[in-house]
Amino acid sequence: MKSSFDEMHGARQDVRDHYRTYQAWLERQTPASMHARRDEAEMIFRRVGITFAVYGAKDEDGAGTERLIPFDLIPRVIPKQEWVDMEAGLRQRVTALNRFIHDVYHGQEILKAGIVPAEQVLKNAQYRPEMVGVNVPGDIYSHISGIDIVRAGNPDGSGTYYVLEDNLRVPSGVSYMLENRKMMMRLFPDLFSMHRVAPVAHYPDLLLDTLRAVAPAGINEPTVVVLTPGMYNSAYFEHAFLAQQMGVELVEGQDLFVRDGFVYMRTTQGPKRVDVIYRRVDDDFLDPKAFRADSTLGCAGLLDVYRAGNITLSNAIGTGIADDKSIYPYVPKMIEFYLGEKPILHNVPTYLCRDPKDLQYVLDHMHELVVKEVHGAGGYGMLVGPAATQAEIAEFSAVVKGNPSNYIAQPTLSLSTCPTFVESGVAPRHIDLRPYVLSSGKGVQTVPGGLTRVALKEGSLVVNSSQGGGTKDTWVLEA
């Protein structure tokens, strides 16, 4: 287990250069003024409706609950050169992942070379045989990628960034990145006059440009829509927010239909052809004729139109094969295989429980590992060994033994900490970072920073909002 890295302070508690101006400002603030600004932020977020639904949670009347994601007033600050290096690693990684997805649905060269075991792909629940031989614009499958990055400390006091997870299906959270920045600029305009913070507000424009760029061939003015499962989805605020910011229609499956090989949406002026669907609906629910017959969230016949090349789906069907946790350990080899380059960003060492030797190691060391379901998300289906009781470890061990191929394990990295404004004052809390990477075949783009998530419970390493985590604004300094 690596030691924790403090983002603001060095080994001798000296303030890191890129935080000095902010630290001097923070020392001048009173607890009362910080509490007042936090209350103001909560009031505004609630008024705007920036909430997420909590599945399975009920209020006292038995209705589903919606909560604010807690917002922390203290930003996470990244110096320019660190971001430049991270951005290069993100572009490299997402490029290789897109090459991998294209390969497994076409030539399967990486499987033939024995670099990724064929059974790990072809027998994976995320592999979609329906996509074999299907060509997509620019050979890009994941147009919007969310790459989860953490930093752990080294014995010499430095920190190393690691990619913890690749999110290539329907990555969420970018609306909070945008709203957090707007809130910070509203509450603390003086801070932005003291720092040259790289902007993020242009993300919706970049997203729309990306979606238009991957429209079917020959479409000069493509019609783009955002497909949502509906208002009861946990990320519905984000779906509506992004559609509004891009100036495109937010639609549900019932708003779409297929006719003569094309997809149309119902409008008050009559049917309108749709060219690009930014879908926030999982593969299984996209087309009841092709996948789950009981789905009411998608559009019947959509897959046929897609295979014919008359509609673009962002992200593509079948991208899940590349962000499955059992495929994650092979990403560094993908980068070398497809790009002929050494990985810029590191993976976390990972044990595959389907391997008998790895399984035995995991069972013997579960008290010091993080064990995850390969298809799990949101902090569910996992065990943080150092924080678990003997009974929880015994119970989880039995589950892993029953289905080893469904689990991976990793060392418990002590995520870096960042000063956070909590009830007791300013205190360190563990954080991660989710930058958003846009790919169109004409280039790979990011906005500086991303969404910093923070584990608000003291000592907790789980940053997911569904598990009580919050968010911070992320500042990438331009100088």
Side-chain angles (χ1 to χ4, degrees):
M1 177 174 171
K2 292 183 179 290
S3 59
S4 185
F5 178 90
D6 188 308
E7 297 286 342
M8 183 185 278
H9 300 100
R12 298 178 181 177
Q13 290 304 299
D14 50 314
V15 178
R16 300 187 191 279
D17 288 347
H18 58 284
Y19 262 108
R20 283 183 180 169
T21 300
Y22 180 81
Q23 173 67 11
W25 175 90
L26 184 61
E27 288 175 348
R28 297 194 297 270
Q29 309 310 304
T30 66
S33 69
M34 294 292 282
H35 276 287
R37 283 163 169 168
R38 188 174 67 178
D39 291 345
E40 182 181 350
E42 182 173 331
M43 177 191 68
I44 295 170
F45 280 146
R46 198 172 294 282
R47 184 189 304 155
V48 175
I50 306 175
T51 61
F52 73 102
V54 185
Y55 293 130
K58 303 290 183 182
D59 63 17
E60 58 188 15
D61 298 319
T65 62
E66 290 203 350
R67 299 178 188 165
L68 289 175
I69 295 181
F71 168 66
D72 183 53
L73 300 176
I74 300 178
R76 188 247 185 95
V77 184
I78 300 173
K80 180 179 180 179
Q81 191 56 50
E82 270 187 24
W83 172 251
V84 168
D85 295 342
M86 189 190 302
E87 185 179 36
L90 292 167
R91 290 178 176 176
Q92 178 194 62
R93 190 174 183 98
V94 169
T95 298
L97 286 165
N98 270 306
R99 293 279 292 274
F100 170 73
I101 303 169
H102 179 265
D103 187 19
V104 299
Y105 291 121
H106 289 82
Q108 301 184 347
E109 299 301 326
I110 202 166
L111 307 186
K112 294 172 184 175
I115 293 171
V116 179
E119 69 274 10
Q120 280 296 101
V121 172
L122 304 180
K123 295 182 180 179
N124 194 298
Q126 298 302 318
Y127 179 71
R128 300 292 179 182
E130 299 88 350
M131 288 297 292
V132 172
V134 176
N135 294 315
V136 299
D139 294 339
I140 300 298
Y141 290 74
S142 183
H143 310 98
I144 304 103
S145 306
I147 309 298
D148 291 348
I149 293 180
V150 298
R151 174 146 60 176
N154 299 316
D156 63 0
S158 65
T160 301
Y161 283 115
Y162 293 89
V163 174
L164 189 63
E165 200 168 284
D166 303 295
N167 299 280
L168 309 179
R169 282 171 265 185
V170 283
S172 63
V174 75
S175 59
Y176 301 105
M177 174 191 80
L178 297 170
E179 289 294 319
N180 287 353
R181 174 60 56 82
K182 286 169 61 177
M183 183 60 68
M184 287 294 286
M185 294 180 78
R186 174 177 181 141
L187 295 178
F188 308 110
D190 52 327
L191 277 172
F192 288 88
S193 65
M194 300 177 192
H195 299 82
R196 288 184 58 191
V197 181
V200 297
H202 59 297
Y203 176 85
D205 296 330
L206 291 182
L207 176 59
L208 184 57
D209 288 346
T210 298
L211 296 172
R212 285 175 169 164
V214 297
I219 305 297
N220 294 324
E221 294 293 332
T223 296
V224 177
V225 300
V226 177
L227 175 62
T228 177
M231 64 183 295
Y232 296 109
N233 182 265
S234 63
Y236 181 73
F237 163 78
E238 176 158 297
H239 307 164
F241 175 87
L242 289 174
Q244 186 269 332
Q245 291 289 305
M246 289 190 289
V248 304
E249 293 294 331
L250 179 69
V251 301
E252 297 182 29
Q254 62 192 5
D255 300 319
L256 303 176
F257 66 94
V258 169
R259 186 173 68 194
D260 300 329
F262 295 95
V263 175
Y264 294 85
M265 65 173 162
R266 296 176 172 88
T267 76
T268 54
Q269 287 79 40
K272 181 176 178 61
R273 180 177 158 181
V274 175
D275 305 300
V276 181
I277 299 175
Y278 176 24
R279 53 93 171 209
R280 302 299 294 262
V281 174
D282 291 338
D283 286 358
D284 284 338
F285 301 95
L286 280 174
D287 183 349
K289 289 178 63 177
F291 303 115
R292 285 186 53 157
D294 62 341
S295 173
T296 59
L297 303 179
C299 172
L302 178 61
L303 181 62
D304 290 338
V305 180
Y306 187 46
R307 289 168 60 92
N310 292 333
I311 190 78
T312 297
L313 297 177
S314 296
N315 288 339
I317 293 172
T319 54
I321 190 59
D323 72 7
D324 184 88
K325 292 181 180 66
S326 68
I327 299 297
Y328 162 91
Y330 301 101
V331 177
K333 294 181 179 179
M334 291 178 200
I335 292 170
E336 295 189 26
F337 182 77
Y338 294 116
L339 307 181
E341 300 169 359
K342 292 293 184 183
I344 297 171
L345 292 170
H346 300 272
N347 261 27
V348 178
T350 302
Y351 302 95
L352 297 168
C353 294
R354 64 180 178 81
D355 179 283
K357 288 184 179 178
D358 281 7
L359 174 61
Q360 192 57 54
Y361 181 87
V362 171
L363 293 174
D364 291 343
H365 296 83
M366 194 168 281
H367 61 285
E368 59 191 51
L369 299 171
V370 176
V371 189
K372 306 175 183 178
E373 280 186 322
V374 294
H375 307 313
Y380 296 104
M382 65 184 285
L383 177 89
V384 180
T389 65
Q390 287 295 324
E392 289 168 338
I393 290 172
E395 182 179 349
F396 210 86
S397 295
V399 173
V400 172
K401 284 180 187 177
N403 188 6
S405 62
N406 197 41
Y407 291 90
I408 64 162
Q410 297 169 330
T412 307
L413 292 182
S414 185
L415 311 187
S416 66
T417 62
C418 185
T420 301
F421 187 68
V422 295
E423 289 306 318
S424 59
V426 177
R429 293 291 185 268
H430 295 290
I431 58 171
D432 79 351
L433 176 66
R434 178 176 290 183
Y436 296 89
V437 186
L438 300 175
S439 309
S440 66
K442 298 177 182 178
V444 180
Q445 303 180 88
T446 63
V447 290
L451 179 67
T452 291
R453 300 183 297 179
V454 54
L456 294 173
K457 297 175 184 175
E458 185 175 2
S460 174
L461 297 172
V462 182
V463 299
N464 305 80
S465 56
S466 56
Q467 305 291 309
T471 65
K472 289 174 170 282
D473 192 13
T474 309
W475 293 3
V476 171
L477 300 182
E478 292 187 312

